[in-house]
Amino acid sequence: MRLLGNKVKQYRKQKNMSQQELADGICTQATVSLMEKKNKIPSIKIMLQVCRRLNVSFNDILAGVGSGMDEQFDEISAAIRQENFREAADLLAAVEMSDVASAFDRERYHYYRGFVELGAHERPDEAIFHFNLLLRRSYQMPWDLYAIVGNVGMAAAYLRRQELEKSRYYLSEAVGYLDEFEWHDESDFRRLIWARYRIAQMYLELQQPQLVIESVESALRAVKQQASLYLIDVLYEIRGQAEAALSAKAAARRSLTIAKTLALVTHNIALQQRLAPAAGSALAD
């Protein structure tokens, strides 16, 4: 992996920034100069802040980010987001460990392995082991996205173990990263919406409905801004459940009705079946 200093300069020029303006509050002007002229990679924290100021992703300014594992990992990721953990386990079992060579690939492997251990095998201790390895690496790598999903995974594992305070701690950590993260492609967007949804699910289980609504509203704003339907139906469903827990029955009925309508649009049969009795009877005055 190496820095493309000419790309940093190109994006800086496109924004009509001087080196000093790009550096302001992040690093020294000399650091930016070394990035552009010598392809010098500074600390991860500086890299993250520079990318945010330029509104670019690491893929835009780093060479060697791609991996031969991308296609396999993308399939595993999609299965996990759809909660098809058995399928994810089978796909992960087919991964040749000799191909998991780069630090980035190892980081992704531990992320997926953690959710497979939790979802397919119901082994929270094993999941915590892999999420710990993920988080340890994510603080040294330029992928704070994995700090988000790693903390979501840790929260889920500790919730499975009924260690509720630890679960709340990791949920808070995940939310903190989410509030700061800027996504740049469809894959990142889907992971972030999925993370907000999973956080909302766990806060509902922890009987904190107001935090459920906050998480859902953040996700819905992003989904609507992108004119996307990704997870929008289940987001309205869980918002309705949180509103019902807050005794806001009219709001809950409205949210669940929207969820039911969206489930028809998205062909979400499971959600349609869940909502068939709920909207009519569970929330009746």
Side-chain angles (χ1 to χ4, degrees):
M1 186 186 303
R2 63 184 179 84
L3 179 65
L4 302 174
N6 61 322
K7 288 288 189 180
V8 176
K9 183 177 181 179
Q10 174 187 330
Y11 290 121
R12 175 176 62 78
K13 293 284 190 181
Q14 286 176 358
K15 289 188 172 292
N16 296 315
M17 282 185 184
S18 67
Q19 287 184 343
Q20 185 57 52
E21 287 171 327
L22 176 57
D24 187 34
I26 297 175
C27 58
T28 65
Q29 181 270 333
T31 299
V32 173
S33 180
L34 286 171
M35 291 173 68
E36 293 184 354
K37 294 179 181 178
K38 301 292 186 180
N39 299 321
K40 176 73 172 179
I41 298 180
S43 71
I44 297 308
K45 180 179 179 181
I46 290 174
M47 288 288 295
L48 287 168
Q49 292 174 317
V50 165
C51 283
R52 285 176 180 146
R53 184 160 291 174
L54 294 174
N55 194 29
V56 299
S57 72
F58 281 98
N59 291 331
D60 295 322
I61 63 172
L62 289 173
V65 174
S67 163
M69 302 295 298
D70 287 351
E71 186 174 341
Q72 282 177 282
F73 281 147
D74 284 348
E75 290 180 359
I76 296 168
S77 179
I80 288 172
R81 290 199 303 269
Q82 295 163 13
E83 299 189 6
N84 295 329
F85 295 111
R86 288 295 175 186
E87 178 185 348
D90 291 341
L91 290 167
L92 191 63
V95 170
E96 294 289 341
M97 290 307 298
S98 59
D99 294 333
V100 185
S102 72
F104 180 40
D105 283 343
R106 288 194 298 274
E107 187 171 65
R108 293 192 290 179
Y109 175 83
H110 288 299
Y111 160 54
Y112 300 129
R113 179 72 182 274
F115 277 104
V116 163
E117 292 291 351
L118 193 60
H121 305 312
E122 299 185 359
R123 295 191 293 224
D125 290 347
E126 289 293 320
I128 288 169
F129 170 79
H130 287 284
F131 289 133
N132 261 324
L133 291 176
L134 167 66
L135 291 175
R136 195 174 302 159
R137 288 189 171 93
S138 67
Y139 299 133
Q140 302 169 17
M141 292 286 290
W143 318 108
D144 55 354
L145 172 63
Y146 285 92
I148 295 169
V149 294
N151 278 293
V152 170
M154 289 289 274
Y158 279 113
L159 186 57
R160 185 71 61 85
R161 284 174 37 163
Q162 289 297 300
E163 295 185 44
L164 305 188
E165 286 306 312
K166 288 184 179 179
S167 182
R168 291 189 185 97
Y169 168 80
Y170 284 106
L171 285 172
S172 178
E173 289 290 293
V175 169
Y177 279 104
L178 276 166
D179 289 343
E180 295 295 324
F181 187 81
E182 295 179 12
W183 59 272
H184 297 279
D185 57 38
E186 180 67 15
S187 178
D188 283 358
F189 169 75
R190 286 175 174 261
R191 285 193 180 96
L192 294 179
I193 300 303
W194 174 83
R196 292 282 190 192
Y197 175 60
R198 286 291 292 121
I199 288 168
Q201 285 181 312
M202 285 186 274
Y203 273 135
L204 190 65
E205 190 171 342
L206 289 165
Q207 299 181 354
Q208 295 181 270
Q210 190 56 52
L211 293 179
V212 175
I213 291 173
E214 290 177 15
S215 186
V216 168
E217 287 303 308
S218 295
L220 286 175
R221 282 195 297 271
V223 167
K224 291 173 182 177
Q225 185 177 14
Q226 290 303 115
S228 172
L229 292 176
Y230 183 64
L231 294 183
I232 191 169
D233 47 7
V234 291
L235 286 167
Y236 273 104
E237 177 194 26
I238 200 166
R239 187 172 81 173
Q241 292 169 341
E243 288 164 340
L246 290 167
S247 299
K249 289 193 173 183
R253 263 198 306 273
R254 184 166 57 251
S255 293
L256 292 176
T257 299
I258 293 171
K260 188 174 182 180
T261 301
L262 288 168
L264 295 172
V265 175
T266 59
H267 307 290
N268 190 335
I269 303 301
L271 179 58
Q272 292 174 41
Q273 293 172 343
R274 288 201 303 272
L275 292 179
S281 60
L283 297 175
D285 288 325

